[in-house]
């Protein structure tokens, strides 16, 4: 079930710029995750957010979980070419261990 | 953590044939998950494979098209049957972190092209 809508779908920016990716849903989640996938590889977990309003930082990446736990954002400061990849939010099924992914944001950082 | 090996990494197949993808994990896990990633798109869950029971398929996926085996706690296979060009995708195997963290580990995927 595709309940997580990400925006924008594609993003191409210059090195050094800032950007924000959004993950929205009409449902409330107990937690939400962000993954990054590089070409030829599987997704790799960046962070899990659990508490409404929670903010987590991972170097130049800032993740926020909405107060109502229906949405999340990923902000990248001073983007670098190494940030290029597909960014995916994901949620786990409340009644099981299945994980469902958002529609994805493809980021290209141009040197 | 878990290290997942998938084989083959890529294949080009003729329509009407079948391909079996293998997934080996370096630790015992209860559940293994198979995802499909169509070109330029996100991941869609195909099915959950539990050892010792039938796989659980998501809406839109059926066992006749995507039979799954799970003979033990470290191995699973996904077969893409009677392939058509629409089956051209990346197929990914994943497992959940056994440390109690909500986290998935993925193999590198199998890039399938159907002519």
């Amino acid at each position: 079930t595709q309940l997580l809508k990400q925006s924008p779908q594609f993003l191409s920016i210059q090195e050094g710029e800032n950007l924000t990716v959004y993950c929205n849903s009409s449902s409330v989640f107990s937690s939400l995750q962000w993954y990054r996938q590089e070409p030829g590889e599987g997704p790799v977990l960046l962070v899990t957010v659990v508490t409404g309003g929670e903010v987590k930082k991972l170097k130049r990446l800032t993740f926020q979980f909405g107060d109502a736990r229906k949405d999340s954002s990923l902000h990248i400061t001073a983007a670098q070419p190494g940030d290029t990849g597909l960014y995916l939010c994901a949620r786990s099924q409340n009644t099981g261990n299945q994980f469902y992914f958002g529609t994805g944001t493809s980021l290209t950082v141009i040197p | 953590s878990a290290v997942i090996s998938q084989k083959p990494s890529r294949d080009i197949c003729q329509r009407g044939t079948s391909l079996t993808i293998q997934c080996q994990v370096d630790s015992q896990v209860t559940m293994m998950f198979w995802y499909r990633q169509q070109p330029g798109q996100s991941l869609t869950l195909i099915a959950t494979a539990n050892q010792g029971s039938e796989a659980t398929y998501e809406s839109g996926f059926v066992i006749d098209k995507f039979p799954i085996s799970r003979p033990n706690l470290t191995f699973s296979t996904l077969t893409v049957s009677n392939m058509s060009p629409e089956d051209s995708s990346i197929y990914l195997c994943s497992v959940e972190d056994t440390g109690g963290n909500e986290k998935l580990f993925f193999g590198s995927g199998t890039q399938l092209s159907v002519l």
Side-chain angles (χ1 to χ4, degrees), chain A residues 45-84:
Chain A
L45 180 70
L46 296 172
V47 77
T48 300
V49 286
V50 178
T51 306
E54 180 178 9
V55 176
K56 282 191 173 179
K57 292 194 175 185
L58 185 66
K59 297 183 179 178
R60 294 176 293 100
L61 278 61
T62 302
F63 304 85
Q64 184 161 8
F65 203 13
D67 292 340
R69 291 187 286 123
K70 292 183 177 181
D71 54 82
S72 181
S73 64
L74 157 60
H75 182 79
I76 301 179
T77 303
Q80 299 178 1
D83 296 326
T84 293

Side-chain angles (χ1 to χ4, degrees), chain A residues 1-2 9 30-31 33 35 37 40-43 45 48 86 88 92 97-104, chain B residues 31 33 35 37 40-45 48 56 58 90 92 96 101-109:
Chain A
T1 303
Q2 197 73 286
Q9 184 178 2
S30 58
S31 65
Q33 304 167 346
Y35 290 79
Q37 183 182 25
E41 299 293 330
L45 180 70
T48 300
L86 179 66
L88 298 156
S92 61
N97 292 343
Q98 290 84 0
F99 289 78
Y100 299 95
F101 285 81
T103 50
Chain B
M31 291 185 180
F33 307 98
Y35 286 86
Q37 186 173 28
Q41 297 190 24
S42 182
L43 279 67
T44 301
L45 182 63
T48 302
T56 303
E58 297 294 309
I90 299 172
L92 293 147
E96 189 177 8
N101 303 309
E102 281 190 317
K103 177 178 183 177
L104 286 180
F105 297 100
F106 285 86
S108 295

Side-chain angles (χ1 to χ4, degrees), chain B residues 54-106:
Chain B
E54 290 276 331
T56 303
Y57 289 82
E58 297 294 309
S59 175
F61 298 96
V62 295
I63 187 171
D64 290 346
K65 177 66 175 177
F66 297 101
I68 287 172
S69 78
R70 184 78 201 274
N72 57 54
L73 291 173
T74 63
F75 187 78
S76 178
T77 67
L78 169 76
T79 298
V80 186
S81 302
N82 188 24
M83 288 183 283
S84 67
E86 292 71 34
D87 294 319
S88 297
S89 291
I90 299 172
Y91 292 85
L92 293 147
C93 169
S94 73
V95 303
E96 189 177 8
D97 183 16
T98 56
N101 303 309
E102 281 190 317
K103 177 178 183 177
L104 286 180
F105 297 100
F106 285 86

